[in-house]
């Protein structure tokens, strides 16, 4: 349960198993992922959505459809999207469905790089805000933090 651990950020990496259901269209899978993200946004500072990774089976085309819709919806909802298209079929186990060690390392790197980029952008946004509004604040960190927090709420 999320309430038990209180994270600041969450990465949602779901949907692969839903591809198996023939009646579950790409739009429905995407909706489930987006709904899950939206339900978490009030509990954490940021929710990231990770794209579904490549598969070596007949469901890869459906996976691509889900990712195309997910990317578009994430942009519309201002939700960070983690693109895992740099994970290749060579990074899957022999059955072609699960990540091997190299694939797992690549996925973790994608997660870390995305969160790091988000943190950098957040810092730059805050620095720009502070610079533009410096005349409204005195020089103490607490005032700067309070004004920034109120503006962001």
């Amino acid at each position: 349960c999320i309430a038990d651990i209180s994270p600041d950020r969450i990465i949602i990496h779901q949907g692969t198993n839903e591809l198996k259901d023939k009646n579950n269209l790409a739009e429905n899978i995407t909706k489930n992922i987006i709904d899950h993200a939206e339900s978490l946004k009030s509990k954490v500072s940021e929710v990231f959505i990770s794209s579904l990774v490549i598969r070596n089976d007949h469901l890869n085309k459906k996976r691509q459809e889900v990712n195309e819709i997910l990317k578009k919806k994430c942009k519309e909802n201002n939700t960070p999207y983690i693109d895992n298209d740099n994970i290749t079929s060579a990074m899957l186990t022999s059955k072609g469905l699960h990540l091997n060690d190299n694939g797992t390392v690549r996925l973790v790197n994608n997660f870390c790089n995305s969160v790091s980029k988000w943190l950098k952008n957040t810092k730059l946004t805050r620095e720009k805000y502070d610079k533009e509004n410096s005349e409204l604040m005195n020089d103490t960190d607490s005032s700067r933090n309070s004004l920034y927090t109120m503006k962001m709420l």
Side-chain angles (χ1 to χ4, degrees):
C1 179
I2 292 170
D4 295 338
I5 56 174
S6 302
D8 290 331
R9 292 162 207 85
I10 291 180
I11 298 171
I12 296 176
H13 187 73
Q14 75 178 60
T16 302
N17 291 333
E18 293 178 58
L19 294 170
K20 297 177 202 171
D21 183 350
K22 293 177 184 176
N23 298 319
N24 207 357
L25 302 175
E27 292 81 7
N28 295 341
I29 295 168
T30 304
K31 183 180 180 327
N32 290 342
I33 296 168
I34 296 294
D35 287 350
H36 188 194
E38 291 300 315
S39 74
L40 295 171
K41 283 188 175 182
S42 66
K43 298 173 178 72
V44 297
S45 64
E46 195 65 50
V47 177
F48 297 76
I49 294 180
S50 172
S51 69
L52 281 64
V53 298
I54 193 168
R55 299 171 61 104
N56 279 342
D57 65 7
H58 66 285
L59 297 173
N60 196 52
K61 185 174 190 269
K62 190 175 181 181
R63 174 201 65 89
Q64 290 172 316
E65 291 173 30
V66 169
N67 285 344
E68 286 174 20
I69 300 167
L70 261 182
K71 190 172 188 175
K72 180 182 172 192
K73 293 291 185 184
C74 284
K75 188 173 183 177
E76 290 172 5
N77 295 340
N78 200 28
T79 301
Y81 176 79
I82 301 173
D83 189 345
N84 295 309
D85 281 348
N86 61 351
I87 297 175
T88 66
S89 57
M91 297 176 183
L92 300 175
T93 60
S94 59
K95 291 186 178 184
L97 298 178
H98 298 102
L99 297 174
N100 61 24
D101 290 344
N102 291 335
T104 301
V105 168
R106 180 68 55 90
L107 182 67
V108 170
N109 283 335
N110 290 346
F111 288 178
C112 292
N113 290 338
S114 294
V115 172
S116 178
K117 182 179 174 183
W118 178 83
L119 288 170
K120 181 180 177 186
N121 288 339
T122 301
K123 181 179 183 222
L124 292 175
T125 301
R126 182 174 179 157
E127 288 172 357
K128 181 180 176 188
Y129 174 85
D130 284 351
K131 185 176 179 182
E132 290 173 355
N133 294 286
S134 61
E135 69 277 359
L136 298 175
M137 301 181 232
N138 63 34
D139 292 332
T140 65
D141 286 342
S142 61
S143 295
R144 188 173 298 123
N145 289 338
S146 297
L147 183 57
Y148 179 77
T149 302
M150 289 188 303
K151 177 80 172 191
M152 296 306 290
L153 293 175

